[in-house]
Amino acid sequence: MSPGIVEAIVASKEAALVLSLLFTVVACTAIYRIWKSREAQQDKMTAMLADLLKEMARLTNRLLEKNDG
């Protein structure tokens, strides 16, 4: 923020309202970024779980074949 904007906010009668609005915007941005990050992590975890299940199925199949033969 430039010094002129800061001085205008401080001199304003609604300084608390403006600061509250700025804080809310920053908080919303942070929450949105966390949500997007969680979404990306969730996709990675889903893929990892699918790979793990495939590997478990393959190993179970090999174990069953080994016991039958």
Side-chain angles (χ1 to χ4, degrees):
M1 269 189 196
S2 68
I5 293 174
V6 173
E7 288 176 13
I9 291 171
V10 171
S12 171
K13 291 181 181 178
E14 292 86 17
L17 180 61
V18 172
L19 292 175
S20 176
L21 179 62
L22 286 173
F23 177 79
T24 303
V25 168
V26 170
C28 286
T29 303
I31 290 169
Y32 177 74
R33 286 185 178 183
I34 291 169
W35 179 70
K36 292 301 279 183
S37 173
R38 182 198 55 83
E39 205 171 62
Q41 290 296 329
Q42 187 176 9
D43 291 344
K44 288 179 186 177
M45 292 299 292
T46 301
M48 289 172 61
L49 181 58
D51 291 343
L52 179 62
L53 289 173
K54 287 178 193 174
E55 183 66 17
M56 287 176 60
R58 187 180 68 80
L59 290 173
T60 302
N61 192 25
R62 283 180 59 194
L63 182 61
L64 290 173
E65 288 174 357
K66 192 174 187 178
N67 284 339
D68 288 342

